[in-house]
Amino acid sequence: MNNKTVRTRFAPSPTGFLHVGSARTALFAFLAARKYGGQFVLRIEDTDKEREMEGAIGHIMESLRWLGISWDEGPNIDGPYAPYVQSSRLELYRTYAHRLVADGLAYQDPYTEEEVEAWRKQAEEEKRPFLFREHRPASHFKGAGQGTWDGRSALRFRVPHIKRYTWNDLVRGELTAGEEALDDFILLKADGYPTYNFCHVVDDIEMQITHVMRGEEFISSTPKFLSLYEALGVEPPLFATLPSILGAEGTKKLSKRDGAQDILEYRAQGYLPEAMVNFLALLGWNPGTEQEFFSMEELIEAFSIERIQRSGAQFNTEKLLFVNHHWMRELPDEEYLARARREGHLETTNEARLRKAIPLLKERASIFAEADEMLTGELSCLFLRAAPLREILLAKDPNDPAQHFTETTLKEVHGLITGLAEETSAEEIKTYLMAYADRNPKEQGGRGAILWPLRYALSGQERSPDPFMLIHILGKQESLLRIEEAIDILKE
Ligand code: GLU
């Protein structure tokens, strides 16, 4: 690494929402800047006006904020290289363009779009690559200091050397490509807007970017960028190519079905930003240790560009759920509820019971959407009273002698619960009732013959949390009512 201050950037085009792949790129660039004590820049690359999507910039910024990826310079923060939105930097690109024209390294495109398109088609039919430079008009290039450009026509780069380029990618090592990628590409379109190939190089130079981190789709164009740096007489930045993200099969690129969705979709479903960040960091980077869970601070500490992998990283939804579950369990109960509510989850009419049920939800649900389902599914007994069925209250096996004692034992447990203090923990209730259940003789079904009907009487569900937890969450009055109802049913 050279000794310049590390400056990385995330340069999204506002053509869509922030999805998993771009979020991972942003995160890695952010981590590198933080790790090496540098700056992280957010730059909006909005020169393709036709593909621009309304609201995308706001959405991208909101996604980054949610993830905790903060930028030091960007559209909403003034910085030394402002503005940070390309459509507001058109003057700068023109200045660079004029410089290239003056140096004889750019020329006015003399052809119509139709002419160029016809050559492209012809090359395609002949199955050979189309190279504009083969049609470079000799008459239009008169050497340095003599080029002309009316400023209203498209401007093309005059690629100075047709040669192979070899560069060192910080992740992939030595890469080489050349002639086939080099061409007289368009710098500025007739409408005055620059092409990506041109303006991102200008901006990376102007913004003093030291490390360019992006996906592998840019490798094949790198000779183009390098020839432009050469023409401008500027040392290129360091390149770090991030591995592609593969779907569940591990072969194809991540698709919508595998989880390539908008980051804010994850937020809506009740994933935590801590988990997303932890998960995204491990998509193509590894700490070299067994550590699985990382906070942002820990990531900054542990991160290194050297440990970014070359091969594709598999997106595993199970793993994401697992990581999310971990971070959900780390939240204090109050925070758990506050976070859920912020996204419209865990709405219920019985706040007191919901609060007491949080430890159960934490244990069972990997995301808030799953916790919601539990409130109306396997944990619905916490809120709704479902009448138990007589035959289930009794032992399932009609010959089981334990059934003859069910009514009596429920009555005894009822008496015990009556003696409980109002706010007793599930743990205390357990100790208290187990002392009684354990005394039940084997011939009368042992502790199971007490705990089963009790749990079922309380829940009305064959599967539910244990009876101690139920009594704790339902509260004394509701628990007693439910047991009374069960006793009545047994009398029928
Ligand atoms: N605007 C480009 C994109 O969104 C940025 C590529 C780059 O990082 O240079 O793909």
Side-chain angles (χ1 to χ4, degrees):
M1 203 164 296
N2 51 31
N3 43 24
K4 279 194 267 177
T5 304
V6 168
R7 286 178 58 82
T8 61
R9 73 342 183 242
F10 174 53
S13 301
T15 50
F17 291 159
L18 191 75
H19 54 82
V20 170
S22 323
R24 200 267 318 255
T25 302
L27 176 64
F28 280 28
F30 167 81
L31 289 175
R34 291 287 174 272
K35 167 78 186 189
Y36 304 117
Q39 289 105 36
F40 173 62
V41 177
L42 174 64
R43 180 173 80 220
I44 304 297
E45 304 207 325
D46 62 340
T47 54
D48 191 345
K49 287 293 168 195
E50 268 165 36
R51 290 184 50 226
E52 193 163 328
M53 193 177 106
E54 214 189 302
I57 298 178
H59 192 282
I60 289 169
M61 296 212 272
E62 191 178 341
S63 306
L64 293 175
R65 280 196 199 101
W66 180 65
L67 291 170
I69 300 176
S70 54
W71 51 97
D72 304 301
E73 294 162 36
N76 56 335
I77 310 172
D78 243 357
Y81 308 103
Y84 293 90
V85 178
Q86 288 186 327
S87 59
S88 305
R89 299 168 64 79
L90 301 185
E91 264 318 300
L92 175 73
Y93 310 130
R94 288 188 98 74
T95 307
Y96 270 72
H98 279 294
R99 211 163 95 196
L100 287 169
V101 173
D103 290 345
L105 290 163
Y107 60 91
Q108 183 163 317
D109 187 340
Y111 304 111
T112 62
E113 261 174 49
E114 292 72 37
E115 281 172 305
V116 178
E117 199 38 46
W119 292 327
R120 193 189 312 280
K121 271 220 177 91
Q122 191 184 345
E124 206 176 281
E125 274 163 27
E126 292 167 15
K127 293 194 169 37
R128 57 179 174 82
F130 169 68
L131 288 171
F132 188 91
R133 59 180 155 86
E134 288 168 3
H135 303 271
R136 182 189 291 166
S139 61
H140 278 254
F141 174 63
K142 305 191 182 72
Q146 295 169 43
T148 50
W149 175 43
D150 63 14
R152 292 185 301 275
S153 315
L155 189 71
R156 281 191 185 265
F157 180 47
R158 180 179 189 279
V159 54
H161 306 289
I162 305 302
K163 63 174 192 188
R164 273 204 97 63
Y165 280 91
T166 300
W167 68 98
N168 181 45
D169 186 287
L170 294 176
V171 175
R172 308 215 173 179
E174 191 172 290
L175 294 178
T176 174
E179 299 85 345
E180 69 290 347
L182 294 174
D183 203 4
D184 288 3
F185 60 84
I186 291 187
L187 299 169
L188 290 173
K189 293 173 275 180
D191 62 7
Y193 274 91
T195 57
Y196 163 74
N197 287 340
F198 179 45
C199 62
H200 94 276
V201 166
V202 170
D203 285 344
D204 284 343
I205 293 172
E206 285 286 316
M207 295 179 182
Q208 310 271 328
I209 300 302
T210 56
H211 294 67
V212 167
M213 300 169 87
R214 59 188 164 200
E216 62 186 357
E217 61 274 27
F218 295 95
I219 293 180
S220 61
S221 309
T222 303
K224 273 196 186 68
F225 311 149
L226 292 174
S227 65
L228 187 55
Y229 278 105
E230 204 172 292
L232 292 167
V234 179
E235 191 67 31
L238 296 168
F239 298 107
T241 298
L242 306 184
S244 51
I245 301 178
L246 307 174
E249 316 274 282
T251 47
K252 281 197 242 72
K253 278 214 173 185
L254 189 69
S255 69
K256 272 244 156 41
R257 223 191 52 222
D258 300 310
Q261 45 189 346
D262 162 14
I263 287 293
L264 294 186
E265 268 295 306
Y266 286 102
R267 178 176 75 174
Q269 286 171 27
Y271 285 88
L272 298 178
E274 292 93 326
M276 275 325 278
V277 162
N278 188 157
F279 174 77
L280 290 173
L282 296 173
L283 269 182
W285 171 82
N286 76 78
T289 64
E290 293 297 303
Q291 189 174 344
E292 272 183 299
F293 304 114
F294 289 86
S295 65
M296 189 66 106
E297 286 70 35
E298 289 170 316
L299 282 175
I300 293 170
E301 178 69 27
F303 191 76
S304 74
I305 295 181
E306 290 74 30
R307 298 208 71 93
I308 297 175
Q309 74 194 43
R310 294 170 185 222
S311 54
Q314 200 169 331
F315 186 99
N316 182 336
T317 307
E318 292 298 311
K319 176 83 192 283
L320 173 57
L321 285 167
F322 171 74
V323 173
N324 201 65
H325 199 180
H326 166 81
W327 287 104
M328 298 260 266
R329 278 188 285 220
E330 290 288 295
L331 296 176
D333 290 4
E334 274 304 310
E335 176 72 6
Y336 182 93
L337 190 57
R339 300 265 203 122
R341 289 279 161 80
R342 213 176 290 161
E343 304 307 327
H345 297 284
L346 300 186
E347 299 296 350
T348 146
T349 46
N350 200 322
E351 192 71 9
R353 287 190 206 164
L354 175 71
R355 280 174 188 272
K356 288 199 217 160
I358 290 175
L360 280 184
L361 293 170
K362 274 191 187 169
E363 214 38 62
R364 292 160 186 236
S366 301
I367 54 172
F368 288 131
E370 218 178 301
D372 287 338
E373 279 170 30
M374 284 176 187
L375 296 188
T376 52
E378 62 181 89
L379 295 181
S380 59
C381 62
L382 302 181
F383 305 94
L384 299 169
R385 199 183 302 169
L389 300 175
R390 190 168 194 279
E391 62 272 27
I392 300 179
L393 266 176
L394 295 169
K396 279 185 198 160
D397 175 359
N399 300 319
D400 188 337
Q403 65 175 295
H404 303 301
F405 303 100
T406 305
E407 195 182 326
T408 322
T409 54
L410 277 180
K411 280 182 179 157
E412 283 178 3
V413 175
H414 185 277
L416 288 171
I417 296 173
T418 312
L420 274 176
E422 208 46 67
E423 285 304 321
T424 313
S425 72
E427 213 32 60
E428 288 167 314
I429 297 171
K430 181 172 182 179
T431 313
Y432 179 62
L433 291 184
M434 277 306 240
Y436 163 75
D438 279 339
R439 282 200 307 270
N440 196 36
K442 248 207 173 85
E443 319 75 75
Q444 293 183 24
R447 59 154 81 157
I450 303 219
L451 300 181
W452 163 267
L454 171 61
R455 194 189 55 69
Y456 180 63
L458 289 164
S459 68
Q461 288 178 314
E462 288 199 56
R463 288 169 58 96
S464 78
D466 69 58
F468 322 112
M469 191 49 114
L470 288 175
I471 295 167
H472 167 67
I473 296 174
L474 294 172
K476 195 165 131 180
Q477 292 321 314
E478 176 69 13
S479 301
L480 290 174
L481 277 175
R482 291 188 184 190
I483 294 170
E484 284 156 25
E485 194 177 7
I487 293 169
D488 284 348
I489 288 169
L490 284 176
K491 285 195 181 122
E492 281 166 12

